[in-house]
Amino acid sequence: MPHSTSPEPSPVDDSVLPHVPAQPLNDGPKEELFIESPDTIMSDGVSPSEAEVKQVDLEGLFDDEDSDEEFPSSAPQIKSEDISSQEPVTISAGAKASDPAVMRAFYQRLFPFRYLFQWLNHSPSPTNDFKHREFAFTLQNDAYLRYQSFPSSDLLRRQCIQQVPSRFEIGPVYSTNPRDRKTVRKASAFRPLSKELVFDIDMTDYDDIRTCCSGAAICHRCWAFITMAIRVVDAALRDDFGFRHILWVYSGRRGAHAWVCDARARNLDDSKRRAVAGYLELLRGGDRGGKKVNVKRPLHPHLERSLALLRTPFQTSVLLEQDPWGGASPAAAATTLLDLLPDAGLRAGLAKKWDAAPARPSAAKWADIDAVAASGALSTLDPRALKEAKQDIVLEYTYPRLDAEVSKKLNHLLKSPFCVHPGTGRVCVPIDTRRVDEFDPLGVPTVTQLLGEIDEWDRENKGEGGGEEEGAASQQKKVPDWEKTSLRPYVEFFRGFVNGLLKEERGGIKREREEGAEGIQF
């Protein structure tokens, strides 16, 4: 692991992020703007005005109140007034997640920048794994800033507060600082070195089989498809590839992302990433009509395990809750099921039965398949072919539908955990796979809800841990704002995940020093 043994750099002066003079946008529509250089950082078409910058008490933002005891931040510590002593953030009743004031308060008070730094840095001491990491900002006017990089979490936090991005994405670690890419003499000298292996599951890829919602809408019934996908992909990554540090994150609206953080995964090149994605890919996006699953027999052990995981959800979530072959158009729905069966005689017998009772629910029609097949009237029926066809149907309606292109490229960017989805206002929180069935996407806190919870906590606990007579000791009792809210269990889960990853990285460094770098194979 070449980046883990980097010497500790000297403290970095935060003057590397100067205020930039305003520059108007004159060319093209805002949504097509692509700004690469830090010299053209803009918000709403211009850089943050001096007045905007002065409204933010930047000197009071970088306290160490959420420092982890075992893995403290080694970024320069800025001694200043504790953020908790600021006036409560008052959010009007009509405030939206996309309001700059709301997002500024979120980055200022709630986003866990320190744990994000530890996660991406793979060490409590700054390394190139963080300093050479690409960040891409989407600003309020949809301007897209690529190749941003930061020497510390505090400076990332500062820029987020200044520019108030609606979200930011995380890219690879490059061979040189992304901000300096235009200064290298050879283009080949600026190349991606490592990045987490990522996966993206989006509910819109299930629109042809879910009956409750479509498009961006979700409900508890169709979220079951994402739950099934998480179970199958997570099991394959752990059991078949041996990965241990897999972070699942809710996308904020209708999907989930997986970040495979093991060092071995981070160092995969594009060809190996394509191989992993291909291993997990069964249904291809854009498939329309007809039978979508035709897997070879005997089944691969991965598919055998997947079927074992998916049989029960198929019965409950698909047959009972989605009812794909019943519904408002039972005749057309029944035809869809009949087209997936192998024997003409079986299809004819079932069609006759269902024409007489078209309103039969999907669970009953699924049972009818075996009942008609067992009647003995079908001399041409191959029981083995029927079993395999039914297995293929289960896979078609339950197997993960991945956006495989996201996983295949080392330089692909993906939205950071704990960003806010601008449409729903929900925070992109981690999902605990040990309790994946309990995760409620509609119950994830929104940014306005969280800021209101801070104010409520402060009112109910006014004066606690802050008496003047306690002096410096009272400052150590300050409660981080995220601990005052329903975001707390998600941040604590993320902190535990990061600590586990750092412990393994630290053990890997120790083994590398004992065995020599040539003894470590990826």
Side-chain angles (χ1 to χ4, degrees):
M1 294 179 289
H3 304 299
S4 300
T5 58
S6 301
E8 293 190 11
S10 58
V12 180
D13 186 354
D14 59 19
S15 63
V16 296
L17 294 179
H19 300 315
V20 183
Q23 301 183 26
L25 299 178
N26 299 319
D27 299 325
K30 289 182 180 179
E31 61 270 15
E32 295 180 1
L33 178 66
F34 177 77
I35 305 171
E36 292 188 346
S37 172
D39 296 331
T40 55
I41 293 174
M42 306 177 191
S43 178
D44 294 327
V46 297
S47 65
S49 67
E50 292 299 324
E52 283 180 310
V53 174
K54 290 178 181 178
Q55 288 174 0
V56 183
D57 181 16
L58 294 177
E59 297 304 319
L61 301 182
F62 307 109
D63 59 282
D64 199 33
E65 63 184 24
D66 60 348
S67 181
D68 186 270
E69 293 182 1
E70 185 170 3
F71 301 106
S73 172
S74 57
Q77 300 301 312
I78 301 177
K79 297 181 180 179
S80 59
E81 181 183 0
D82 194 291
I83 187 175
S84 300
S85 64
Q86 296 179 355
E87 290 297 321
V89 177
T90 303
I91 302 300
S92 62
K96 299 180 180 179
S98 57
D99 291 347
V102 172
M103 289 304 300
R104 177 169 285 118
F106 174 74
Y107 289 125
Q108 179 179 349
R109 310 192 72 173
L110 287 165
F111 194 98
F113 286 101
R114 180 158 291 113
Y115 302 134
L116 186 84
F117 163 80
Q118 294 173 351
W119 172 49
L120 298 176
N121 187 65
H122 311 119
S123 170
S125 301
T127 70
N128 286 344
D129 281 8
F130 187 83
K131 293 187 294 182
H132 288 184
R133 175 80 69 159
E134 178 188 1
F135 293 86
F137 284 29
T138 301
L139 302 185
Q140 298 292 329
N141 65 343
D142 291 333
Y144 192 53
L145 311 183
R146 284 202 61 182
Y147 302 111
Q148 305 297 292
S149 59
F150 305 91
S152 72
S153 62
D154 287 340
L155 295 180
L156 169 62
R157 184 183 189 186
R158 175 171 295 191
Q159 184 154 326
C160 285
I161 293 169
Q162 287 181 346
Q163 297 194 300
V164 200
S166 58
R167 73 177 196 181
F168 64 87
E169 297 175 322
I170 298 171
V173 178
Y174 280 93
S175 53
T176 189
N177 191 319
R179 289 182 183 266
D180 300 333
R181 71 198 180 285
K182 293 184 177 180
T183 66
V184 297
R185 293 186 177 182
K186 295 182 179 179
S188 59
F190 179 70
R191 65 187 189 282
L193 298 179
S194 66
K195 194 201 68 176
E196 294 74 13
L197 177 63
V198 296
F199 296 91
D200 183 11
I201 306 169
D202 196 303
M203 187 70 79
T204 55
D205 291 327
Y206 293 83
D207 278 353
D208 63 323
I209 59 172
R210 60 174 176 158
T211 60
C212 50
C213 305
S214 63
I218 66 166
C219 67
H220 292 117
R221 286 193 294 165
C222 58
W223 182 256
F225 287 114
I226 304 297
T227 300
M228 290 181 241
I230 291 174
R231 286 193 178 280
V232 169
V233 174
D234 193 78
L237 291 172
R238 295 180 189 278
D239 296 347
D240 299 343
F241 293 95
F243 297 131
R244 298 177 56 194
H245 301 281
I246 306 169
L247 180 70
W248 286 93
V249 180
Y250 172 49
S251 70
R253 172 172 275 175
R254 60 177 184 262
H257 302 151
W259 299 75
V260 186
C261 306
D262 303 61
R264 187 164 52 90
R266 300 198 308 268
N267 287 285
L268 293 175
D269 60 23
D270 284 352
S271 64
K272 293 183 175 66
R273 290 170 190 263
R274 287 194 297 270
V276 176
Y279 180 88
L280 294 171
E281 191 176 25
L282 182 63
L283 291 150
R284 298 182 182 275
D287 287 346
R288 293 290 182 270
K291 196 166 185 275
K292 297 184 180 68
V293 174
N294 290 280
V295 295
K296 296 179 180 180
R297 264 64 183 194
L299 287 176
H300 188 280
H302 162 60
L303 292 179
E304 287 278 13
R305 181 186 57 235
S306 298
L307 276 172
L309 292 171
L310 295 170
R311 283 193 183 97
T312 298
F314 176 77
Q315 295 286 339
T316 56
S317 297
V318 176
L319 295 183
L320 297 180
E321 295 179 358
Q322 293 295 328
D323 192 16
W325 308 307
S329 180
T335 301
T336 300
L337 176 57
L338 290 173
D339 289 343
L340 299 175
L341 298 174
D343 184 83
L346 175 62
R347 291 195 298 269
L350 290 170
K352 181 178 180 180
K353 184 178 182 67
W354 295 344
D355 285 344
R360 286 175 70 78
S362 296
K365 289 178 178 177
W366 184 254
D368 289 342
I369 297 173
D370 287 338
V372 173
S375 65
L378 304 174
S379 59
T380 60
L381 179 66
D382 181 350
R384 179 178 176 181
L386 177 59
K387 177 183 177 182
E388 292 176 355
K390 292 184 68 177
Q391 289 177 337
D392 289 349
I393 293 171
V394 172
L395 291 172
E396 179 171 334
Y397 279 79
T398 58
Y399 189 85
R401 301 185 174 201
L402 301 173
D403 183 354
E405 295 305 313
V406 173
S407 310
K408 295 178 179 179
K409 292 287 188 179
L410 183 61
N411 61 357
H412 195 285
L413 294 100
L414 191 63
K415 180 169 56 178
S416 171
F418 291 101
C419 279
V420 174
H421 191 287
T424 64
R426 299 190 190 109
V427 180
C428 301
V429 296
I431 300 172
D432 185 349
T433 54
R434 297 168 300 181
R435 303 178 180 85
V436 65
D437 291 325
E438 302 173 16
F439 182 80
D440 178 9
L442 303 181
V444 169
T446 64
V447 60
T448 52
Q449 171 190 336
L450 293 169
L451 294 173
E453 289 173 0
I454 294 175
D455 291 349
E456 182 179 358
W457 191 97
D458 288 344
R459 285 192 298 269
E460 293 178 355
N461 298 272
K462 188 175 182 180
E464 288 191 13
E468 294 182 3
E469 68 280 359
E470 296 181 22
S474 67
Q475 297 299 317
Q476 300 177 2
K477 299 179 182 179
K478 295 293 185 182
V479 178
D481 282 331
W482 59 264
E483 287 193 15
K484 305 173 183 177
T485 71
S486 51
L487 193 64
R488 176 175 180 172
Y490 301 106
V491 176
E492 289 178 339
F493 174 83
F494 183 57
R495 178 174 61 186
F497 175 86
V498 171
N499 284 350
L501 178 63
L502 292 184
K503 287 178 180 177
E504 178 160 303
E505 294 285 336
R506 184 170 58 187
I509 293 173
K510 181 178 180 181
R511 288 192 298 272
E512 183 176 347
R513 288 171 177 170
E514 292 174 349
E515 302 171 8
E518 66 278 5
I520 304 296
Q521 300 294 327
F522 294 104

